[in-house]
Amino acid sequence: MKVLGIDIGGSGVKGAIVDTRTGRLLTDRCRLKTPDPATPKAVAGTVRNMAVHFSWKGPIGCGMPGPIKVGRMMRANNLHKSWIGVKASEVFTRSTGCPVVVLNDADAAGYAEMAFGAGRGERGVVILVTLGTGIGSAVFIDGHLVPNTELGQMELNGKRAELRASAKVRKEKNLTWTGWAKRLQAYFDLVELLFWPDLIIVGGGVSRRADRFLPMLKVRARIVPAQLRNEAGIIGAAWSAATKRVRH
Ligand code: BGC
């Protein structure tokens, strides 16, 4: 099946048409800037522009940077606060004229890695952590997702962990790879203390440069970079729309 996958992030909105059977992108990726302020109306316009860019008339799966309950956005750390309580699936269905399902962006990336990437065939407790503008998480037990885990919001030295250790923080504070790895170490220590994962998959754009920081981390679980890199969010959003994983 062909589905338009869209990954809405704090800085960019990325999309491509995905073959949901193979997890392959059938088109180049299109990246539009996340509008500022990223209100529901403005983001709905960007999602419509994405559908128009691909002349798309079919189903759309959309990952969003916050917990989503039955299509509704429950928190908005990296989008405008007016998103809270808004039924995103309806807003986008209206703006595009296409059927849209929405889910948390890290859950989408996790689905993609479990189906087509570093988590394929993995049982036990698998945690995907995305390091980007924020920190997102997807927790799987024997391949089943526990949706909307927000492990970027755990407290780390008195602050939300994503404000200490995201990829954005590394850039903004000009941290060296070693300096950032120390923060990540403290973060993964906490993840291990609370969840005892068997496998940790590290995603987000920065996973491209995993060789610069992963070898410095000492964790009990196996820890590997995501295989689908920055495309995981797009692929997983499309895949979950096709496989009807999402309640909406
Ligand atoms: C949000 C998560 C999201 C993550 C990555 C966090 O600020 O709370 O829901 O998965 O950012 O975008």
Side-chain angles (χ1 to χ4, degrees), residues 31-90:
R31 185 182 193 279
L32 303 173
K33 259 181 87 103
T34 304
D36 185 14
T39 57
K41 195 166 168 217
V43 177
T46 307
V47 168
R48 184 192 52 234
N49 291 342
M50 185 66 79
V52 168
H53 171 85
F54 289 106
S55 310
W56 188 248
K57 291 276 174 292
I60 298 177
C62 204
M64 297 194 71
I68 307 271
K69 297 291 273 184
V70 205
R72 203 175 290 281
M73 186 120 197
M74 308 306 286
R75 251 177 87 96
N77 296 322
N78 295 313
L79 295 179
H80 194 264
K81 297 282 172 240
S82 56
W83 266 108
I84 297 170
V86 171
K87 186 113 181 174
S89 51
E90 282 177 12

Side-chain angles (χ1 to χ4, degrees), residues 125-127 191-200 220-222:
V125 176
V126 178
I127 303 187
V191 170
E192 289 220 293
L193 178 71
L194 296 176
F195 293 93
W196 292 89
D198 299 295
L199 174 66
I200 298 173
R220 185 194 148 277
R222 278 180 296 138

Side-chain angles (χ1 to χ4, degrees), residues 176-191:
T176 60
W177 289 105
T178 312
W180 188 48
K182 278 191 189 138
R183 291 174 180 231
L184 286 177
Q185 182 69 56
Y187 177 66
F188 284 116
D189 283 348
L190 193 54
V191 170

Side-chain angles (χ1 to χ4, degrees), residues 117-132:
R120 215 170 342 165
E122 292 284 350
R123 301 188 64 77
V125 176
V126 178
I127 303 187
L128 169 110
V129 171
T130 60
L131 303 170

Side-chain angles (χ1 to χ4, degrees), residues 64-67 75 77-78 104-106 130 134-137 150 153 160 162:
M64 297 194 71
R75 251 177 87 96
N77 296 322
N78 295 313
N104 173 261
D105 56 357
T130 60
I135 294 183
S137 61
E150 287 282 312
Q153 313 305 316
R160 296 193 285 121
E162 67 179 4

Side-chain angles (χ1 to χ4, degrees), residues 225-248:
Q227 280 175 11
L228 306 169
R229 308 281 159 84
N230 236 356
E231 288 168 4
I234 296 174
I235 297 167
W239 184 83
S240 41
T243 55
K244 308 222 178 337
R245 296 282 152 142
V246 184
R247 288 170 59 215
H248 61 100

